[in-house]
Amino acid sequence: MELPFEKKQRKVYTKKESQTNLEYGISPEDRTITELLNNGVICLNKPQGPSSHQITEYAKNILEVGKAGHGGTLE
Amino acid sequence: MPIALGKASRVLRVLLLSGKEYVCLMHLHKDISEDIIRKELNAYIGKITQLPPVKSAVKRVHRQREIYYIDIIEIDGRDVLFRIGCQAGTYIRKICFDFGKKLNMGANMQELIRTKAGPFNEKEIYSLQDLQEAFLLYSQERKEKELRKIVKPVEFAVKHLPKIWVHDSAVNSICHGIDLSIPGISKLESDIKENDLIAVLTLKNELVCIGNSLLTSEDIIKNDKGKVLKTERVFLDSDLYPKWKKDTV
């Protein structure tokens, strides 16, 4: 069972070929853990009981990050 | 449940607008044949109209939502367990309630778990314990592998959106709030429609911004100028990429 975007196969068109300069910017897969912890996403199994907000707080404490937000409660 | 860290929290808005999948346990208030349950529940696939519940965060007006699929996992007497894929903003509690009303018996939602939210799904979720262990391996033994499995770059959260890649020279203007125009584009995906939510990436696949398209993929391919999208949110820091200079791509 797939959501519409999971079924969709998109083609990639080239409008104008160009190269990227490696002196600036960084590919997602080359980022350091610190960079990921300041600009990343995780998906946790939410146990019953604690609220989404509490789980987010736990995750923040574990990862020692200053800021985190969750993607909406169930209802 | 998806959690965004640091700057990435801006990306959560995308998830609010993304398709969802749930597994729901519905309890019926009277006995009825399995055949009728199957037939009537499957009738919900497609466009439905629902009034948000009294306790809800949105204005209570009838609105149309699309149900992409329903898969009945098990029927045990009055308990119906099913998987449902639906458009963002569909109230499953309301589907159960309306279902009971339709069958003149009453029904309620007993339990609900979310199994997909945009690109996030139940196949790749971790517990707080997993997170704790992976973080300790990293912080005490400098072993990154486990933590890298759990913490994904912000780009993961937009992987389901149609994409446009821009030239290095266009990146900084977008970071400064200028809307993307056709000359800034290097590559694009097919089947972009007007008003689709689009992820704009650098040629290194870094997320620059998200925005709503003003043109279709065909329009972009055919034309040489024109505004492509209305930026909704910028993710990349400004001045990482060089300022635009005339006569450079």
Side-chain angles (χ1 to χ4, degrees):
Chain A
M1 296 274 163
E2 288 175 311
L3 294 173
F5 72 82
E6 295 175 292
K7 273 192 266 183
K8 188 120 203 157
Q9 297 284 328
R10 292 177 192 269
K11 287 191 282 271
V12 176
Y13 299 124
T14 301
K15 178 78 183 169
K16 188 172 184 195
E17 199 70 61
S18 83
Q19 297 293 317
T20 184
N21 189 330
L22 297 175
E23 278 169 36
Y24 37 79
I26 184 162
S27 297
E29 60 268 28
D30 295 333
R31 291 188 196 144
T32 63
I33 292 278
T34 312
E35 283 169 318
L36 292 175
L37 292 178
N38 288 311
N39 192 16
V41 292
I42 56 181
C43 195
L44 294 182
N45 190 3
K46 185 190 163 297
Q48 290 199 333
S51 67
S52 304
H53 182 76
Q54 281 170 312
I55 302 287
T56 308
E57 284 300 306
Y58 297 149
K60 250 168 75 173
N61 291 337
I62 291 172
L63 298 174
E64 300 168 10
V65 294
K67 195 179 154 196
H70 65 82
T73 44
L74 258 190
E75 292 184 74
Chain B
M1 56 178 278
I3 295 176
L5 308 168
K7 293 189 289 189
S9 33
R10 281 175 270 180
V11 86
L12 292 171
R13 206 187 129 61
V14 174
L15 297 180
L16 291 179
L17 305 170
S18 307
K20 308 279 174 8
E21 184 192 89
Y22 302 90
V23 170
C24 171
L25 178 64
M26 173 170 69
H27 180 71
L28 307 176
H29 298 171
K30 281 184 188 155
D31 295 324
I32 191 160
S33 85
E34 268 195 44
D35 288 348
I36 295 178
I37 297 172
R38 284 181 194 282
K39 185 171 156 270
E40 293 296 334
L41 199 53
N42 282 323
Y44 276 85
I45 299 169
K47 296 234 161 62
I48 61 157
T49 303
Q50 61 173 203
L51 185 65
V54 182
K55 273 193 186 173
S56 65
V58 297
K59 197 177 165 196
R60 288 197 79 209
V61 288
H62 281 99
R63 48 188 208 174
Q64 206 184 53
R65 284 295 180 267
E66 191 170 349
I67 308 301
Y68 306 124
Y69 53 83
I70 291 179
D71 174 34
I72 299 170
I73 302 166
E74 201 185 332
I75 301 174
D76 180 13
R78 296 181 181 182
D79 292 318
V80 184
L81 186 67
F82 62 95
R83 188 179 290 273
I84 178 168
C86 55
Q87 193 182 349
T90 311
Y91 286 93
I92 310 300
R93 181 178 294 281
K94 198 69 190 174
I95 289 188
C96 296
F97 180 83
D98 291 347
F99 185 77
K101 221 159 110 181
K102 195 171 163 195
L103 297 185
N104 288 319
M105 55 156 62
N108 64 283
M109 187 178 82
Q110 202 88 323
E111 265 187 66
L112 184 71
I113 57 168
R114 189 163 58 200
T115 47
K116 280 180 197 165
F120 296 93
N121 66 62
E122 61 178 342
K123 288 179 200 109
E124 245 191 298
I125 51 173
Y126 299 90
S127 66
L128 280 166
Q129 285 82 349
D130 297 333
L131 189 66
Q132 177 83 73
E133 283 163 23
F135 189 76
L136 287 177
L137 276 175
Y138 159 72
S139 59
Q140 298 181 348
E141 300 176 37
R142 296 283 132 193
K143 287 181 183 154
E144 296 189 352
K145 206 178 136 207
E146 294 305 308
L147 194 56
R148 278 188 185 276
K149 264 191 226 163
I150 304 178
V151 183
K152 300 185 166 69
V154 63
E155 284 79 6
F156 179 88
V158 298
K159 70 172 194 181
H160 61 307
L161 300 182
K163 294 170 198 66
I164 291 177
W165 290 265
V166 295
H167 301 296
D168 284 1
S169 57
V171 175
N172 205 36
S173 317
I174 300 172
C175 296
H176 279 286
I178 313 279
D179 291 327
L180 172 66
S181 306
I182 293 179
I185 295 180
S186 175
K187 295 182 291 176
L188 68 148
E189 285 191 333
S190 64
D191 303 289
I192 293 172
K193 298 189 296 294
E194 261 178 61
N195 213 26
D196 276 353
L197 191 63
I198 308 285
V200 175
L201 306 173
T202 67
L203 291 167
K204 297 183 193 77
N205 289 319
E206 300 148 285
L207 177 61
V208 184
C209 73
I210 54 169
N212 291 97
S213 59
L214 303 167
L215 301 173
T216 65
S217 296
E218 289 75 32
D219 293 336
I220 297 171
I221 291 160
K222 269 189 281 171
N223 297 294
D224 290 325
K225 53 184 180 186
K227 210 192 258 191
V228 176
L229 88 171
K230 184 94 201 69
T231 303
E232 197 191 280
R233 215 152 280 211
V234 175
F235 291 89
L236 201 67
D237 289 339
S238 49
D239 302 327
L240 276 178
Y241 276 71
K243 289 203 177 78
W244 179 79
K245 286 196 256 21
K246 222 180 163 187
D247 303 325
T248 55
V249 225

